Amino acid sequence: MKRLSRKKSLVLITLFILAILVDIYYETNVFKVSKVHFKSNKITNDSSIKLVQISDLHAKVFGDNNQKLIQTIKNQQPDIVVITGDIIDRKTNSLQDVFHLIEEIIAFQQQVYFVSGNHEWGNNLRNELLLGLEQRGVQILNNNSVEIMIKEINLNLVGIDDVSTNHEDMKKAFTNVKNLEYTVLLSHSPAVTDKYRDIDADLILSGHTHGGQVRFPLIGPIIAPDEGVFPKKTKGVYQLKENQSLYIDSGLGTSLVPVRFLNQSQLSVIEITN
């Protein structure tokens, strides 16, 4: 009976480990779509703006030539696509997959904007990447802003270079911003909200944290970049002021260890309405 009980225990433990491994594989390699909704009186009645946010891809490829990711973005019919940094990894040595992804997105949506992350700054191919993105029609928001008209709505889109590596210039980025219009700040690291207390933006879109990448039941994330151990801000919506929100996308890829647990890969669809 004891031998049988031991065998049964061993089987249960093996099944438990297999279940965890299957979950890790699924959450790391199959992405979901996270939909978020914000409201503002700066948006006229019956109007809306839809953004797709891509963050922390780290040069990962989903499906054959990223077709799963490309088709999912296309199906959302976004007004704008924003890339909030770390589209490549620090160790990435080929830009072919990233450039293919961008070419496919630009083919159906020309409004694509990019801000740098810490991994771009740590990669020797950074200049080649930025030039290649620009040549393919992506607008690089390196401490500057653009005013966009979407469905008769004026939108300020501001982008800063990576805060975690001290490449941002907030004063320069907001030089031409009109405060009366809805303003979105793209900042790879959400630490921008700790470093700068008075940001003239209605919505701040960030990534960088990977949602903690690995999370545990009841405990949550153990560690996140810039946030340290048991981080408080890792993913989702954070209300900073009455009319100001921070949204942290937990990203598509991984770094250091190619594992996600209880924290599925994702891209975000953000809708802003009256």
Side-chain angles (χ1 to χ4, degrees), residues 28 56-58 89 210 213 252-260:
T28 305
D56 299 275
L57 181 65
H58 289 274
D89 193 79
H210 298 192
Q213 194 160 306
L252 286 158
T254 59
S255 63
L256 299 180
V257 180
V259 168
R260 280 178 176 260

Side-chain angles (χ1 to χ4, degrees), residues 71-138:
Q71 191 59 48
T72 301
I73 296 170
K74 185 176 183 179
N75 291 345
Q76 302 306 317
Q77 298 182 315
D79 299 306
I80 307 174
V81 175
V82 297
I83 304 170
T84 48
D86 284 2
I87 195 171
I88 61 172
D89 193 79
R90 190 176 288 108
K91 297 178 181 178
T92 300
N93 54 25
S94 172
L95 301 176
Q96 181 178 346
D97 291 330
V98 167
F99 285 158
H100 174 75
L101 172 64
I102 293 300
E103 288 166 0
E104 292 290 313
I105 294 173
I106 287 287
F108 61 82
Q109 175 51 266
Q110 288 73 50
Q111 299 263 45
V112 180
Y113 300 87
F114 172 87
V115 294
S116 64
N118 55 302
H119 279 257
E120 276 86 25
W121 287 98
N123 191 302
N124 292 331
L125 298 178
R126 181 176 63 87
N127 291 334
E128 183 181 341
L129 170 70
L130 297 179
L131 178 61
L133 293 178
E134 285 186 317
Q135 289 174 337
R136 288 162 175 80
V138 176

Side-chain angles (χ1 to χ4, degrees), residues 12-221:
L12 290 174
I13 291 170
T14 302
L15 289 174
F16 178 72
I17 292 172
L18 284 173
I20 290 176
L21 292 175
V22 168
D23 181 80
I24 287 172
Y25 178 84
Y26 180 83
E27 296 200 26
T28 305
N29 295 286
V30 179
F31 66 87
K32 66 178 181 178
V33 176
S34 176
K35 295 189 176 183
V36 193
H37 185 200
F38 296 97
K39 296 180 180 181
S40 172
N41 291 329
K42 294 182 181 180
I43 306 298
T44 55
N45 290 332
D46 302 322
S47 294
S48 66
I49 300 172
K50 183 186 285 187
L51 299 87
V52 162
Q53 180 185 3
I54 301 170
S55 197
D56 299 275
L57 181 65
H58 289 274
K60 186 172 176 60
V61 177
F62 291 91
D64 186 29
N65 291 323
N66 257 325
Q67 285 305 309
K68 290 182 180 180
L69 182 57
I70 293 162
Q71 191 59 48
T72 301
I73 296 170
K74 185 176 183 179
N75 291 345
Q76 302 306 317
Q77 298 182 315
D79 299 306
I80 307 174
V81 175
V82 297
I83 304 170
T84 48
D86 284 2
I87 195 171
I88 61 172
D89 193 79
R90 190 176 288 108
K91 297 178 181 178
T92 300
N93 54 25
S94 172
L95 301 176
Q96 181 178 346
D97 291 330
V98 167
F99 285 158
H100 174 75
L101 172 64
I102 293 300
E103 288 166 0
E104 292 290 313
I105 294 173
I106 287 287
F108 61 82
Q109 175 51 266
Q110 288 73 50
Q111 299 263 45
V112 180
Y113 300 87
F114 172 87
V115 294
S116 64
N118 55 302
H119 279 257
E120 276 86 25
W121 287 98
N123 191 302
N124 292 331
L125 298 178
R126 181 176 63 87
N127 291 334
E128 183 181 341
L129 170 70
L130 297 179
L131 178 61
L133 293 178
E134 285 186 317
Q135 289 174 337
R136 288 162 175 80
V138 176
Q139 184 156 346
I140 311 294
L141 294 177
N142 51 343
N143 300 318
N144 57 12
S145 66
V146 291
E147 186 178 354
I148 310 168
M149 174 73 78
I150 300 173
K151 301 172 187 174
E152 300 183 352
I153 301 170
N154 287 320
L155 172 72
N156 291 318
L157 192 61
V158 185
I160 55 171
D161 280 325
D162 180 50
V163 171
S164 66
T165 50
N166 300 311
H167 286 96
E168 85 284 1
D169 187 336
M170 292 289 282
K171 185 177 181 180
K172 178 185 175 185
F174 278 87
T175 297
N176 299 314
V177 172
K178 299 175 183 178
N179 292 332
L180 295 177
E181 298 170 358
Y182 193 86
T183 301
V184 178
L185 171 64
L186 307 181
S187 168
H188 175 64
S189 174
V192 68
T193 59
D194 299 320
K195 192 171 182 179
Y196 300 91
R197 295 296 181 179
D198 295 312
I199 300 174
D200 291 327
D202 300 280
L203 176 62
I204 301 162
L205 300 181
S206 295
H208 189 50
T209 65
H210 298 192
Q213 194 160 306
V214 172
R215 304 171 72 97
F216 291 98
L218 302 177
I219 299 173

